[in-house]
């Protein structure tokens, strides 16, 4: 597979392994929405804690008891406002946040005898109507006359853009792809965000006005950081992780060996999943969220055998215990303490992978495969950013920022996956964008309004 995609012409890799009905059921909404009576019952379970630990655990600091109280009193619009004023992607986060390690883990009702309040589902219940009817809850402040460049139209960039637009600034989003949304549109598992929700949310965010979008525009190719600094009053970098880690094996360039994120993006954009080529035996190398997503989705597309192979134990996997169990209940096998040593090919196509034990030196095993997905992490694609990295202080290959998401370069802020020290979650990217916008606003106010320049 020289172009990074499984070839469709092999007997063991073919489209249409499952019928349309089965595919529809496998990719149906992972957590269907609550009915009104279910929502009231769950809202009633909340103790409305003072100094609520669930709010402290939320990276965007949503007033969780506050929005639950409004659901109880039937004020859904007010509830959605409480959520979205802290997290404009509160609709997506209600679907994709690992709540089991965030707000719901912190919920005081989360004990051995009880279960947490279903905060994620309640958040979805409160926000769904707003997105469905495109009800604008936020207004722009009067035009500030200042213009800010955003690089990257993912969660970090869009959150920053929305908050700046609210504060009256004009924003220009530069995005290479055709669609905005970043990994919400091209990465998150299809069963977490069905019905084109990512696109509807983007439409809602842009609905505030004052946000100009330039697709087909990449930093490093069409524009440089220096040009943006000269042309705009401030710059926000939210270009995520466009590079993918390789296995570092000489035998890697074989047909049938693909980057998990590339295949996931193809899956998310495909109008007809029955046309996607699917391997019969799929091996996934990695132990994070991307590995879980490609493994579960390969199974959902009809692969017979899907096995995740990880170099350490299940405890050390970046994927949460909940996600691991989810993958196992969807039929994914897991092998641990193994690292790939050689990809074994026949006529240029992968046939098997030889692994070595990371615990018992010299011990090896071979697993057959029609397709091998690499899911061992993403990185900033500095090589495509034409010297941008040399202008900024970096840490471990990502951008170093302070608590206001300011970089080492004057007038430049950054957030989301491309900065050092984050969680690599949608909700953290949204928080970074918000904090950067507030800091940009403060800086511009001091420079132009308060100072009267
Ligand atoms: C497969 C997968 C599944 C995931 N599942 C979950 C999940 O279930 N829950 C969760 O919370 N998180 C999940 N994540 C993580 C989450 O998607 C990210 O943390 C989040 O999208 C980061 O937002 P961002 O804006 O920093 O980056 P991105 O979403 O990557 O957006 C970056 C944007 O910048 C653009 N860009 C790239 N290069 C340039 C350039 N040179 N010039 C201009 N623009 C550029 C990109 O096209 C993109 O639109 C998942 C990630 C992956 C890979
Ligand atoms: S911790 Fe649980 S019970 Fe307490 S306010 Fe939060 S959701 Fe309600």
């Amino acid at each position: 597979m020289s172009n990074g995609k499984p070839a469709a012409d092999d007997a063991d890799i073919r489209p249409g392994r499952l019928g349309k009905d089965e595919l529809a059921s496998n990719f149906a909404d992972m957590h269907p929405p609550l009915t009104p009576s279910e929502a009231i019952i769950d809202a009633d379970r909340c103790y409305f804690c003072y100094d609520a630990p669930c709010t402290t655990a939320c990276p965007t600091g949503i007033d969780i008891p506050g929005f639950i109280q409004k659901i109880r009193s039937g004020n859904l619009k007010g509830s959605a406002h409480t959520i979205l004023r802290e997290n404009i992607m509160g609709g997506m986060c209600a679907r994709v946040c690992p709540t089991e390690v965030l707000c719901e883990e912190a919920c005081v009702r989360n004990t051995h005898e009880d279960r947490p309040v279903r905060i994620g589902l309640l958040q979805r219940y409160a926000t769904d109507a707003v997105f469905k009817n495109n009800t604008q809850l936020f207004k722009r402040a009067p035009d500030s006359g200042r213009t800010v460049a955003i690089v990257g139209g993912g969660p970090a960039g869009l959150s920053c853009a929305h908050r700046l637009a609210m504060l009256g600034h004009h924003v220009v989003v530069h995005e290479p792809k055709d669609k905005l949304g970043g990994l919400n549109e091209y990465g998150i598992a299809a069963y977490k965000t069905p019905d084109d929700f990512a696109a509807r949310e983007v439409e809602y965010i842009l609905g505030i006005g004052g946000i100009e979008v330039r697709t087909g525009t990449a930093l490093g190719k069409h524009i440089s950081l220096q040009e943006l600094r000269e042309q705009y009053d401030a710059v926000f970098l939210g270009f995520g992780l466009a590079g993918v880690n390789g296995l570092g094996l000489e035998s890697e360039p074989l047909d049938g060996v693909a980057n998990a994120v590339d295949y996931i993006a193809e899956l998310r954009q495909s109008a007809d999943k029955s046309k996607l080529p699917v391997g019969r035996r799929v091996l996934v190398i990695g132990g994070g969220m991307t590995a879980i997503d490609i493994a579960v989705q390969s199974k959902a597309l009809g692969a017979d055998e899907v096995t995740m192979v990880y170099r350490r134990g299940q405890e050390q996997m970046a994927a949460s215990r909940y996600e691991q169990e989810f993958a196992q209940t969807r039929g994914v096998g897991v092998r641990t303490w193994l690292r790939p040593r050689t990809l074994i090919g026949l006529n240029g196509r992968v046939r098997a992978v030889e692994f070595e034990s990371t615990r018992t030196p010299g011990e090896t095993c071979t697993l057959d495969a029609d397709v091998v997905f690499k899911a061992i992490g993403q990185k900033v694609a500095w090589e495509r950013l034409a010297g941008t990295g040399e202008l900024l202080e970096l840490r471990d290959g990502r951008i170093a920022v302070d608590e206001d998401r300011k970089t080492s370069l004057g007038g430049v802020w950054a957030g989301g996956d491309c900065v050092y020290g984050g969680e690599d979650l949608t909700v953290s990217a949204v928080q970074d964008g918000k904090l950067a916008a507030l800091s940009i606003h403060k800086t511009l106010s001091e420079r132009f309004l308060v100072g009267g320049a």
Side-chain angles (χ1 to χ4, degrees):
M1 187 182 51
S2 49
N3 64 357
K5 285 191 281 180
D9 55 358
D10 189 283
D12 289 318
I13 305 178
R14 62 177 174 83
R17 287 191 180 273
L18 299 179
K20 287 220 159 73
D21 290 348
E22 220 172 334
L23 283 173
S25 137
N26 288 353
F27 284 94
D29 209 333
M30 183 178 169
H31 297 296
L34 297 175
T35 62
S37 53
E38 285 170 338
I40 295 297
I41 291 168
D42 237 77
D44 273 340
R45 296 187 62 245
C46 179
Y47 293 151
F48 305 103
C49 307
Y50 178 72
D51 264 351
C54 52
T55 290
T56 310
C58 172
T60 54
I62 292 173
D63 173 7
I64 292 169
F67 91 71
I68 295 180
Q69 180 66 272
K70 291 186 180 115
I71 292 179
R72 258 176 111 208
S73 60
N75 176 9
L76 278 193
K77 203 165 155 187
S79 182
H81 187 270
T82 301
I83 296 162
L84 300 176
R85 73 172 181 228
E86 293 302 339
N87 178 346
I88 194 59
M89 290 197 161
M92 181 58 82
C93 289
R95 290 160 168 80
V96 307
C97 260
T99 50
E100 68 281 359
V101 293
L102 296 172
C103 54
E104 291 179 19
E105 181 179 53
C107 176
V108 297
R109 296 210 63 162
N110 185 20
T111 62
H112 285 303
E113 299 78 40
D114 205 352
R115 60 177 176 82
V117 175
R118 289 186 290 177
I119 301 167
L121 281 172
L122 287 172
Q123 180 165 315
R124 175 165 174 186
Y125 180 75
T127 50
D128 265 0
V130 162
F131 291 108
K132 192 167 165 220
N133 306 324
N134 213 354
T135 314
Q136 275 302 328
L137 297 177
F138 304 97
K139 273 216 296 270
R140 292 197 69 198
D143 190 355
S144 71
R146 300 294 145 207
T147 308
V148 181
I150 306 277
V151 179
L158 289 174
S159 159
C160 189
H162 187 269
R163 186 56 58 130
L164 287 168
M166 251 173 90
L167 294 166
H169 306 294
H170 181 71
V171 186
V172 182
V173 178
H174 301 81
E175 167 60 50
K177 297 210 165 102
D178 292 345
K179 296 185 192 173
L180 295 183
L183 290 168
N184 285 356
E185 175 62 45
Y186 293 94
I188 301 277
Y191 43 75
K192 288 188 188 171
T193 169
D195 304 326
D196 227 6
F197 180 75
R200 286 192 281 130
E201 189 171 58
V202 168
E203 197 186 321
Y204 182 81
I205 289 172
L206 299 182
I208 191 167
I211 305 176
E212 187 183 326
V213 177
R214 295 193 189 153
T215 50
T217 312
L219 178 70
K221 191 170 176 192
H222 307 101
I223 36 157
S224 71
L225 184 52
Q226 286 301 24
E227 282 164 353
L228 291 176
R229 288 180 79 213
E230 282 157 24
Q231 291 164 18
Y232 294 87
D233 296 305
V235 180
F236 175 80
L237 303 175
F239 44 63
L241 305 173
V244 180
N245 291 330
L247 299 173
L249 302 175
E250 275 178 27
S251 48
E252 206 165 320
L254 278 174
D255 281 358
V257 182
N259 291 323
V261 285
D262 294 342
Y263 189 75
I264 289 173
E266 193 181 338
L267 192 158
R268 281 293 307 276
Q269 297 306 305
S270 93
D272 181 357
K273 294 186 184 62
S274 70
K275 297 216 163 89
L276 287 167
V278 186
R280 188 170 74 78
R281 290 159 307 181
V282 175
L283 286 182
V284 176
I285 318 281
M289 206 183 280
T290 305
I292 297 272
D293 283 1
I294 189 69
V296 172
Q297 292 182 110
S298 296
K299 196 77 191 145
L301 286 167
D304 278 355
E305 272 174 41
V306 181
T307 311
M308 273 174 67
V309 187
Y310 182 56
R311 71 195 154 98
R312 293 192 283 164
Q314 271 188 272
E315 293 293 311
Q316 288 85 26
M317 281 187 178
S320 69
R321 175 60 71 184
Y322 169 84
E323 285 167 325
Q324 293 177 37
E325 280 168 13
F326 171 70
Q328 282 168 318
T329 57
R330 294 274 178 129
V332 172
V334 179
R335 300 283 302 260
T336 51
W337 303 107
L338 291 174
R339 121 174 103 225
R341 195 159 85 159
T342 317
L343 299 169
I344 302 163
L346 184 69
N347 300 327
R349 161 165 291 285
V350 74
R351 278 277 159 257
V353 182
E354 184 187 53
F355 291 92
E356 63 185 338
S357 167
T358 52
R359 281 209 294 203
T360 319
E363 200 175 284
T364 62
C365 70
T366 301
L367 302 177
D368 290 337
D370 301 303
V371 170
V372 176
F373 284 119
K374 295 178 277 183
I376 52 168
Q378 289 94 246
K379 56 187 175 185
V380 176
W382 290 115
E383 67 286 0
R384 283 184 249 154
L385 289 163
T388 305
E390 280 125 54
L391 300 173
L392 299 159
E393 188 190 323
L394 307 182
R395 268 185 90 176
D396 277 353
R398 303 202 198 190
I399 303 169
V401 287
D402 68 9
E403 68 275 12
D404 291 330
R405 306 320 187 246
K406 267 188 197 149
T407 71
S408 57
L409 191 62
V412 182
W413 282 254
D417 287 359
C418 67
V419 304
Y420 173 81
E423 300 285 335
D424 289 354
L425 292 174
T426 304
V427 67
S428 326
V430 173
Q431 176 70 352
D432 282 356
K434 181 179 85 184
L435 292 179
L438 295 173
S439 171
I440 291 170
H441 177 65
K442 185 163 176 280
T443 303
L444 295 183
S445 303
E446 284 165 3
R447 206 164 101 206
F448 296 106
L449 305 177
V450 181

